[in-house]
Amino acid sequence: MTLAPRAVLVHRRTEYEELLAHHGTPGQAAFFLSSRGRSVAEVEHRHHRQAEALARAAAAVPLDWRRTRVERADLPRFLFEPEDVVVVVGQDGLVANVAKYLDGQPVIGVDADPGRNPGVLVRHRADALPALLPAAVARSGSRHLEERTMVEAVADDTQRLLALNEVYVGQPGHQTARYRLTVTGAGAASAETPPLSADPSASRGSARPRGPAAPPDSGEPQASSGVLVGTGTGATGWCRSAWLERGGPLALPEAAAPALAWFVREAWPSPATGTSRVHGVLDAGRQLVLTVESDRLVAFGDGIETDALELTWGQSVRLGVAATRLRLLG
């Protein structure tokens, strides 16, 4: 017996709902905002727009389909089924939040507040769902499923993490992350920058070494604010900030390209740590390996710090192109 498709409507709590949860009543929430020169009408209006979009999305589900809803905070505990069609109602970032929990299920992004979101991943309005939902499960048709590359982090104790935008590896707070960085795989030579001076008073053009020279296959010990490994989708966000900050040293990958860009944030030179490997590109045959030389590091994806890999001294984590892809309805 073949199960009917199930529409899974994914949403997140609105700002208005967050205010009510914190202050208890609409009057208290309104007083709190007014005391700071803001009106509750703005957040209440956005709340009603999302509620309307959710209602329209639910009404668009075919009568012979199964259906359910899941709030963003419950995603780590929700079990997606192979027959699911995932309807994300909200912002672009919500698509990234749900992507890591999927395994090939088609995704339709619905913009709940047009004009406020870039609409890169939430491309549709709720009114379009009556046509989009059948197209998501049809084997042929005018609509196509765009496959977007994801990044995978796998620890040596089998912990695994997926992300659509980027994975961050570093300290959970603001302390320095210490690790050994290695690029493995075919043609593993990574993009390397000329080593900079370990003397903070030296000029940028100084040729004095910033750290120990290491053979290409032994990795480089580093101390930094952490490492970002991002996809083409993530190249419009956090990774782009790192890319712009250092002057666009490499070509960022496209969203569907099987490649990742990586950046070391604020690498620090010392007699024991180097800065010659601070950015590069990983294709499907390469991986970035970080071996922990701190008491504790974490790896989390797409900004969800509560769903992180815990890494202790001596452990290693491999980051590369994931076999899983996000299937986004165009």
Side-chain angles (χ1 to χ4, degrees):
M1 177 173 137
T2 302
L3 287 174
R6 182 177 69 163
V8 180
L9 274 60
V10 180
H11 63 101
R12 63 173 295 177
R13 291 208 301 183
T14 64
E15 297 162 307
Y16 185 66
E17 289 172 318
E18 298 276 359
L19 283 168
L20 290 183
H22 184 74
H23 296 286
T25 67
Q28 290 285 0
F31 174 77
F32 171 78
L33 290 179
S34 65
S35 67
R36 285 156 177 77
R38 296 190 60 190
S39 171
V40 74
E42 179 186 352
V43 292
E44 197 172 8
H45 175 67
R46 289 202 293 270
H47 168 76
H48 290 312
R49 294 194 73 173
Q50 175 163 309
E52 181 183 2
L54 269 171
R56 292 192 177 201
V61 178
L63 294 177
D64 58 342
W65 283 32
R66 298 171 296 144
R67 68 189 70 196
T68 189
R69 291 190 186 189
V70 57
E71 203 271 323
R72 185 182 74 161
D74 297 323
L75 284 171
R77 298 178 293 276
F78 185 80
L79 181 62
F80 287 95
E81 299 176 357
E83 299 82 9
D84 287 346
V85 175
V86 182
V87 182
V88 177
V89 183
Q91 305 86 2
D92 289 313
L94 189 54
V95 176
N97 294 158
V98 73
K100 62 187 292 183
Y101 303 107
L102 302 179
D103 188 18
Q105 292 91 342
V107 176
I108 303 172
V110 175
D111 192 344
D113 195 2
R116 285 180 58 87
N117 300 312
V120 176
L121 301 174
V122 287
R123 303 171 175 176
H124 307 287
R125 306 288 177 90
D127 293 341
L129 284 174
L132 294 174
L133 286 167
V137 297
R139 294 184 178 273
S140 62
S142 58
R143 297 284 178 179
H144 71 281
L145 286 169
E146 175 186 326
E147 295 198 346
R148 289 191 169 230
T149 297
M150 299 184 69
V151 53
E152 178 183 58
V154 181
D156 56 8
D157 60 1
T158 74
Q159 294 183 83
R160 180 173 178 263
L161 179 72
L162 284 174
L164 178 62
N165 287 326
E166 72 281 313
V167 169
Y168 165 81
V169 183
Q171 280 280 349
H174 297 285
Q175 295 175 310
T176 299
R178 296 182 180 274
Y179 53 86
R180 182 176 292 272
L181 183 149
T182 310
V183 180
T184 67
S190 61
E192 296 193 356
T193 57
L196 303 178
S197 173
D199 181 0
S201 64
S203 66
R204 279 186 185 271
S206 173
R208 294 177 61 187
R210 236 188 181 180
D217 59 349
S218 66
E220 179 177 67
Q222 291 186 346
S224 75
S225 298
V227 180
L228 285 175
V229 182
T231 66
T233 301
T236 61
W238 197 359
C239 280
R240 187 168 187 85
S241 297
W243 180 80
L244 288 171
E245 185 271 334
R246 60 193 61 180
L250 47 85
L252 294 175
E254 298 293 328
L260 308 170
W262 60 271
F263 299 92
V264 177
R265 301 173 65 234
E266 301 167 324
W268 177 253
S270 76
T273 58
T275 59
S276 67
R277 302 180 181 187
V278 294
H279 55 253
V281 174
L282 304 171
D283 58 25
R286 297 183 189 176
Q287 289 184 320
L288 196 68
V289 181
L290 271 68
T291 302
V292 181
E293 295 183 352
S294 298
D295 290 338
R296 177 188 177 219
L297 295 184
V298 296
F300 61 82
D302 297 332
I304 304 181
E305 299 180 49
T306 54
D307 188 9
L309 307 186
E310 296 281 343
L311 306 166
T312 58
W313 190 289
Q315 279 195 273
S316 63
V317 59
R318 293 177 173 268
L319 301 107
V321 175
T324 304
R325 289 190 161 218
L326 170 68
R327 301 177 71 219
L328 186 68
L329 195 69

